[in-house]
Amino acid sequence: MESILHQINSPDDIKKLTTSQLEQLASEIREFLIDKVSKTGGHLASNLGIVELTLAIHKVFNLPEDKIIWDVGHQSYVHKILTGRKECFDTLRKINGLAGFPKVSESVYDCFNTGHSSTSISAAIGFARARDLRNENFSVVAVIGDGALTGGMAFEALNDAGRSPNNLIVVLNDNEMSIAENVGGLSRYLSKIRTDPFYSKAKEDINSLLAKLPLMGKSMAKAIERAKGTIKYIVMHEIIFEELGFKYLGPIDGHNVEEMIKVFSRAKLMKGPIFVHICTQKGKGYSFAEDRPEKFHGVPPFEIETGEIASEQGTTFSSIFGKEMVNIAKRDSSVVAISAAMVQGTGLEGFASEFPDRFYDVGIAEQHSVTMAAGMARTGLKPVVALYSSFLQRSYDQILHDVALQNLHVVFAIDRAGVVGEDGETHQGLYDLSFLRHIPNIAIAAPCDYNEFAMMLEYAIMVHKGPIALRYPKGVWKEKLFESKQLDFGKGVKIREGKDVTIAAIGSMVETALKVAELLESVGI
């Protein structure tokens, strides 16, 4: 069978394909993704799940005139393949290569940079209102996952957009996952819609029946419209998105290209805010990713045939953190741990298993996690909030206002601090030192090795009073850089003597400073 993928160089090429050709193309794209990501690493499971959805969007909408905003953006690989960038995939997430997220400077088909979740609906309503102010005519589509929909900003945007007359389409890519399994009431609610056919069937039947009611004059028409709303409310379950002001379409099979093309074509012609609920399978088409979607969310290079991941050999700060948290919590029942949808990434699986009643995964809701911790600390608990540095930025106001100004004992375990690498500027942990240092009452510690980290964590939880942040880098590190029996908080440690040059370093830069000292010594300094 002749390959279709090599013929695709722009979205215009998608519009020429039949449904059967689109289905073949979907299969070829999955093979392409598995092959490329197995070599470069990247976000695999989410992209495998969104193939048909992306094809349907490009079939119906006219890019770059129409605007597609991908929430988080790590699921935009298929979009990049279809917009003339498939030849660049060998450079994915490498310096001067193809970005792992949408990037305006990379392509005219990327209209908005995204790297953090829950932002797409806000950006989309901004695009829609700007369009209408200028009397322009194009569609605006926000594609958001059910994990990202747990973020508070998404609900702020839904609340605003739902009362707006502006034409806007929100596409929910519902795969029942964020990075880990979704949690919370919204997840249960979406599951109910997915599994109960009464929702969509009843809505279609009632709309069909009510459409046949006769209209006799304006007053009668208004009365019947009110009656329709009342009957629908009584007979069928209310859909939260309709209550917010959206016209709801779904749930729809996210791997049925033909059905999605029909729904998107219909949504494109409708007025006001539209909510399209698409159900997909994360990792679809690759059995290892289907079985372990959280493992293949953001994945290093791996063996295609076995699914074996070529991970770094050795211990990481994240694993030390998880182990020490369990040890400390065994001794003190007031210690609790909080994660924002990053249980595995922050090393807290063991804690969650050992102390399920003292572990809280709040979903993608960093702001909520910090203020919740403040409430816990106010009652005498010892909360430890584990976040990546990049995502800690999202809770700046809560750290300042709810924790620091009250001088509450909350421990911030800041993973992936410093240069992270492949995920680009939106994920670098470069800013936490700067934006934490000027906050009152907060202490900051940065370990140079695992031995010092264990002592710092013990001190932060069991001794320190008030807010304290521990920042530590990604990857395999040193067990012990120098001999240290105890931690003297607030004082530096002299590691080696000298008379010509003084070198001061903190955290991960201590190892670099020692290497610099050796180089200087080799030339007599």
Side-chain angles (χ1 to χ4, degrees):
M1 187 182 295
E2 185 182 0
S3 170
I4 296 176
L5 180 56
H6 82 274
Q7 304 171 28
I8 305 300
N9 297 303
S10 77
D12 290 338
D13 297 324
I14 302 295
K15 299 186 184 304
K16 303 169 189 174
L17 301 180
T18 64
T19 301
S20 61
Q21 288 175 316
L22 288 171
E23 290 169 351
Q24 180 188 333
L25 178 58
S27 178
E28 291 180 19
I29 288 173
R30 285 194 170 92
E31 290 180 9
F32 179 90
L33 283 171
I34 293 166
D35 175 57
K36 296 299 183 183
V37 177
S38 72
K39 298 181 178 70
T40 63
H43 291 92
L44 182 63
S46 53
N47 283 287
L48 291 175
I50 205 170
V51 176
E52 289 87 355
L53 172 54
T54 309
L55 287 172
I57 285 173
H58 280 281
K59 178 79 170 177
V60 173
F61 296 97
N62 300 309
L63 276 69
E65 290 80 15
D66 292 336
K67 311 302 178 188
I68 312 298
I69 301 167
W70 304 91
D71 208 288
V72 184
H74 59 245
Q75 80 281 41
S76 63
Y77 292 7
V78 184
H79 163 75
K80 294 193 176 204
I81 291 169
L82 301 178
T83 52
R85 287 172 274 181
K86 65 178 183 291
E87 305 304 329
C88 303
F89 261 78
D90 289 332
T91 69
L92 179 67
R93 301 166 79 240
K94 296 180 180 178
I95 190 167
N96 299 321
L98 192 67
F101 295 82
K103 205 170 181 68
V104 172
S105 61
E106 187 177 278
S107 172
V108 295
Y109 296 104
D110 294 355
C111 68
F112 197 77
N113 288 2
T114 48
H116 289 179
S117 72
S118 314
T119 63
S120 63
I121 305 173
S122 297
I125 191 65
F127 272 91
R129 285 172 172 161
R131 171 201 63 202
D132 295 344
L133 276 173
R134 293 172 176 154
N135 294 314
E136 295 173 338
N137 183 27
F138 56 84
S139 296
V140 179
V141 181
V143 183
I144 185 169
D146 50 325
L149 199 63
T150 64
M153 187 175 171
F155 280 91
E156 293 176 26
L158 284 171
N159 182 59
D160 183 25
R163 66 179 178 85
S164 167
N166 308 93
N167 294 344
L168 169 70
I169 300 170
V170 175
V171 177
L172 172 61
N173 173 32
D174 180 4
N175 59 25
E176 305 178 57
M177 297 284 291
S178 50
I179 295 174
E181 186 175 347
N182 279 332
V183 295
L186 179 66
S187 176
R188 289 196 302 272
Y189 176 77
L190 292 175
S191 178
K192 191 173 182 182
I193 297 178
R194 279 192 302 269
T195 56
D196 187 354
F198 177 82
Y199 277 87
S200 52
K201 183 70 169 65
K203 183 182 176 185
E204 292 298 322
D205 290 348
I206 292 167
N207 282 339
S208 177
L209 173 66
L210 295 175
K212 296 175 183 176
L213 290 175
L215 298 178
M216 294 170 287
K218 290 184 179 180
S219 59
M220 182 63 74
K222 289 180 181 178
I224 290 174
E225 280 301 313
R226 287 195 297 271
K228 285 182 181 181
T230 303
I231 294 168
K232 284 167 69 177
Y233 193 86
I234 293 170
V235 175
M236 65 178 290
H237 303 291
E238 67 272 21
I239 302 285
I240 188 173
F241 308 110
E242 291 191 332
E243 298 294 310
L244 286 169
F246 285 77
K247 297 181 182 73
Y248 173 85
L249 304 175
I252 296 146
D253 180 359
H255 302 296
N256 186 325
V257 178
E258 187 172 17
E259 184 181 3
M260 283 189 291
I261 289 171
K262 290 178 183 176
V263 171
F264 287 144
S265 298
R266 178 182 166 197
K268 189 176 180 179
L269 299 174
M270 296 170 73
K271 301 298 182 183
I274 314 298
F275 194 97
V276 184
H277 184 178
I278 307 289
C279 299
T280 62
Q281 180 184 10
K282 200 168 185 179
K284 185 173 178 62
Y286 183 53
S287 61
F288 298 107
E290 289 178 359
D291 295 339
R292 293 288 307 278
E294 77 287 350
K295 185 178 179 181
F296 283 88
H297 171 77
V299 66
F302 61 94
E303 292 292 332
I304 296 175
E305 293 76 15
T306 63
E308 186 176 337
I309 294 173
S311 58
E312 290 181 292
Q313 298 300 310
T315 308
T316 64
F317 275 106
S318 304
S319 60
I320 294 291
F321 169 69
K323 184 181 75 173
E324 292 300 323
M325 278 292 292
V326 170
N327 292 338
I328 294 170
K330 284 178 179 177
R331 294 185 274 119
D332 189 338
S333 61
S334 67
V335 174
V336 297
I338 301 167
S339 167
M342 298 297 291
V343 186
Q344 288 86 9
T346 55
L348 284 171
E349 309 102 302
F351 189 101
S353 175
E354 186 96 15
F355 307 104
D357 294 339
R358 291 155 60 187
F359 173 74
Y360 305 91
D361 182 358
V362 300
I364 302 177
E366 291 85 3
Q367 295 167 304
H368 164 55
S369 73
V370 172
T371 301
M372 184 181 80
M376 289 175 159
R378 194 71 185 82
T379 69
L381 292 179
K382 297 172 182 173
V384 180
V385 183
L387 299 173
Y388 286 8
S389 174
S390 175
F391 304 143
L392 181 76
Q393 297 163 193
R394 298 160 68 89
S395 56
Y396 172 84
D397 183 62
Q398 287 69 32
I399 297 169
L400 170 61
H401 186 272
D402 299 329
V403 176
L405 291 183
Q406 298 189 75
N407 201 25
L408 295 174
H409 184 202
V410 176
V411 178
F412 297 98
I414 309 174
D415 205 329
R416 273 48 168 196
V419 176
V420 175
E422 298 90 343
D423 282 333
E425 64 265 36
T426 60
H427 281 58
Q428 306 296 4
L430 301 175
Y431 308 108
D432 57 86
L433 269 177
S434 298
F435 73 71
L436 290 176
R437 283 183 64 218
H438 63 254
I439 290 179
N441 297 323
I442 198 166
I444 307 170
C448 68
D449 58 29
Y450 298 150
N451 179 56
E452 193 171 57
F453 183 41
M455 291 190 290
M456 282 183 176
L457 189 61
E458 172 80 17
Y459 169 83
I461 297 173
M462 304 302 292
V463 180
H464 191 77
K465 304 300 179 186
I468 182 168
L470 275 62
R471 69 184 308 268
Y472 45 95
K474 178 183 180 180
V476 174
W477 221 254
K478 290 282 193 300
E479 185 73 34
K480 187 181 289 190
L481 278 176
F482 63 94
E483 212 45 59
S484 178
K485 303 290 186 189
Q486 66 181 36
L487 185 73
D488 194 0
F489 183 74
K491 293 185 178 180
V493 178
K494 186 184 287 185
I495 299 176
R496 60 183 293 170
E497 297 287 346
K499 57 184 174 57
D500 298 317
V501 176
T502 298
I503 304 174
I506 185 171
S508 60
M509 290 304 293
V510 172
E511 184 178 16
T512 302
L514 286 169
K515 290 177 181 177
V516 169
E518 289 171 7
L519 284 171
L520 291 172
E521 189 177 42
S522 70
V523 293
I525 300 173

